[in-house]
Amino acid sequence: MSAGPYNYSYIFKYIIIGDMGVGKSCLLHQFTEKKFMADCPHTIGVEFGTRIIEVSGQKIKLQIWDTAGQERFRAVTRSYYRGAAGALMVYDITRRSTYNHLSSWLTDTRNLTNPSTVIFLIGNKCDLDAQRDVTYEEASKFAEENGLMFVEASAKTGDNVEEAFLETAKKIYQSIQDGRLDLNAAESGVQHKPSQPGRNNLSNDQQGNKDNCAC
Amino acid sequence: MADVLTETVLPEDLKRFEKIYHEQLYKNDVTPKAQFEYAWCLVRSKYPADIQKGIVLLEELYKTHEEGHRDYLYYLAIGTARLKEYSKALNYVRSFLAIEPGNQQVITLQQTIKKKMEKEGLVGMAMAGGVVLAVGAIVGVGMAIAHKVKS
Ligand SMILES: Nc1nc2c(ncn2[C@@H]2O[C@H](COP(=O)(O)OP(=O)(O)O)[C@@H](O)[C@H]2O)c(=O)[nH]1
Ligand SMILES: [Mg+2]
């Protein structure tokens, strides 16, 4: 990143939330490093990851805060919600309790973010269909009623993981284009980084993949 | 730019957890939870004096509350790294990895600290510091042996 002008034009801040053990950290690592961690230790406080993606020809750097689901961290992790442009809210399709807690996660998110924050619901561990405890239809209805985007995904196989992160970014980008998201608002969760004209395209192609994990 | 070493706590959040901690302190009944939450905010302050205070609180917790050891080590590493006490920070990281090798979150923190050192051109210095420490340790052992022989 030290190479002078930015090789991306926007920064979007994301948070990943949901009960402990639903696979938040695995989703993050699948997205930033394309690998699955079979026994991932419990997250301490918050974990951070980045990746540069492209939406409508624009390079966007995602700054992702993965929060620990454990109750003892919850009070302080709430302060990371502020200024999130995207919130990935995760439950585990094999554990009904994690689905039942969604309304509490949703209330927190709505209270602590702004109206333009895009909330994406992920039903994780869809590779474990045999142990399914929450139907697709039910979750899909919940998402619709609450105006959330929704997919079932698997951090293990990688199914729909890219989609969830990318669709969220597309929606945020759309909000910017439509003027619904005010870039100048302090807590929009988006920063614009005008890159140097001309140099931009050149460096983009060369550095695009190198920066998968700028941690 | 924001990452675990540069993002900062909002003053109002810091105040909120400070208040809870002080109320408990006043009643002489501080819970590890309140102390940890306050310390976690302090080490993310932009003021070095706050970070230092957070480190003291975490060290105290580390000595008295075994259950949270991994949390305290992790935030001690972050606090000391923010104060640019890099050898200390890397020592905390190493202690953590000795207990939990392969913890990706902590390995990432280690890389972030090393990158920051590189940026500040401090890698050489830290290594020199390490050598001095090692020599100190050897001298220490030598002295201990000498002592034994004498007695
Ligand atoms: N089968 C399967 N296991 C998963 C999946 N995602 C996560 N896991 C496992 O679920 C456990 C908890 O995952 P983790 O990411 O630590 O959950 P977090 O507490 O929400 O961050 C770990 O043992 C993972 O290996 C998935 O998509 N499929
Ligand atoms: Mg986790």
Side-chain angles (χ1 to χ4, degrees):
Chain A
M1 273 306 152
S2 49
Y6 300 103
N7 53 354
Y8 48 87
S9 6
Y10 291 92
I11 299 178
F12 291 177
K13 174 180 169 179
Y14 279 21
I15 50 168
I16 312 181
I17 53 172
D19 278 12
M20 183 176 121
V22 297
K24 298 181 294 297
S25 301
C26 287
L27 286 165
L28 173 68
H29 286 277
Q30 180 61 253
F31 179 67
T32 56
E33 288 151 61
K34 306 215 164 28
K35 62 180 190 211
F36 175 65
M37 297 184 301
D39 39 20
C40 179
H42 293 313
T43 306
I44 302 162
V46 290
E47 195 176 350
F48 178 70
T50 66
R51 191 179 134 185
I52 295 181
I53 56 160
E54 194 172 313
V55 172
S56 307
Q58 297 278 349
K59 299 272 180 188
I60 296 168
K61 179 174 187 170
L62 301 183
Q63 288 188 339
I64 309 157
W65 295 95
D66 163 33
T67 62
Q70 281 159 300
E71 191 51 43
R72 74 195 143 104
F73 293 122
R74 201 150 166 193
V76 179
T77 46
R78 278 197 183 95
S79 61
Y80 287 87
Y81 287 44
R82 217 164 296 136
L88 306 183
M89 189 166 76
V90 188
Y91 69 96
D92 174 348
I93 68 152
T94 71
R95 274 196 299 146
R96 177 130 215 122
S97 61
T98 67
Y99 175 80
N100 292 340
H101 294 154
L102 286 178
S103 44
S104 130
W105 289 110
L106 187 59
T107 308
D108 259 12
T109 311
R110 289 254 153 86
N111 287 341
L112 296 164
T113 60
N114 42 62
S116 61
T117 302
V118 173
I119 307 176
F120 202 111
L121 179 64
I122 301 177
N124 191 38
K125 308 198 188 180
C126 72
D127 56 291
L128 301 175
D129 198 48
Q131 288 148 256
R132 178 186 285 279
D133 208 10
V134 181
T135 65
Y136 179 87
E137 289 70 28
E138 184 181 2
S140 172
K141 188 161 163 260
F142 173 84
E144 203 181 308
E145 281 167 3
N146 290 285
L148 316 174
M149 301 166 87
F150 169 60
V151 286
E152 282 191 351
S154 167
K156 186 173 179 180
T157 64
D159 265 358
N160 277 339
V161 175
E162 290 276 316
E163 285 78 354
F165 284 86
L166 296 184
E167 289 303 315
T168 304
K170 277 187 202 160
K171 189 87 183 279
I172 297 168
Y173 189 70
Q174 248 173 38
S175 302
I176 299 172
Q177 299 298 301
D178 302 349
R180 263 178 297 141
L181 193 150
D182 179 8
L183 281 177
N184 296 318
E187 290 175 357
S188 67
V190 174
Q191 282 174 57
H192 191 37
K193 300 271 177 196
S195 20
Q196 283 185 357
R199 197 187 185 290
N200 191 23
N201 284 335
L202 195 97
S203 57
N204 277 351
D205 292 336
Q206 289 171 347
Q207 299 182 358
N209 287 327
K210 253 196 320 196
D211 200 42
N212 271 1
C213 180
C215 19
Chain B
M1 247 309 255
D3 60 35
V4 287
L5 295 183
T6 49
E7 55 103 13
T8 50
V9 67
L10 281 178
E12 66 223 61
D13 283 332
L14 179 58
K15 279 214 189 85
R16 192 150 43 90
F17 291 103
E18 180 174 44
K19 188 161 166 261
I20 299 170
Y21 173 78
H22 278 146
E23 276 165 11
Q24 294 190 356
L25 194 63
Y26 183 72
K27 286 186 252 160
N28 222 338
D29 182 24
V30 178
T31 59
K33 182 172 184 283
Q35 183 163 338
F36 173 63
E37 287 174 342
Y38 180 38
W40 181 1
C41 292
L42 282 169
V43 295
R44 293 160 52 226
S45 168
K46 57 180 170 196
Y47 303 108
D50 284 345
I51 302 178
Q52 194 58 57
K53 195 154 59 170
I55 289 173
V56 171
L57 292 180
L58 288 169
E59 280 172 344
E60 191 180 292
L61 280 168
Y62 187 82
K63 284 186 203 128
T64 54
H65 188 241
E66 191 158 352
E67 227 182 286
H69 265 178
R70 60 199 295 277
D71 308 346
Y72 308 143
L73 274 181
Y74 183 74
Y75 282 102
L76 277 166
I78 288 188
T80 46
R82 282 181 182 239
L83 289 181
K84 301 187 195 284
E85 294 176 1
Y86 296 118
S87 350
K88 267 195 200 169
L90 290 174
N91 270 335
Y92 285 126
V93 164
R94 240 171 270 135
S95 315
F96 191 111
L97 292 174
I99 308 163
E100 253 184 69
N103 182 306
Q104 196 54 53
Q105 185 179 8
V106 176
I107 292 171
T108 302
L109 175 61
Q110 189 174 36
Q111 291 165 348
T112 312
I113 294 172
K114 286 186 177 161
K115 259 193 203 161
K116 195 171 170 231
M117 290 168 73
E118 260 167 51
K119 237 185 222 164
E120 294 171 15
L122 285 175
V123 171
M125 263 166 80
M127 271 162 63
V131 170
V132 170
L133 271 180
V135 169
I138 291 165
V139 170
V141 169
M143 271 161 57
I145 292 169
H147 198 76
K148 236 185 191 165
V149 172
K150 249 193 276 168
S151 58

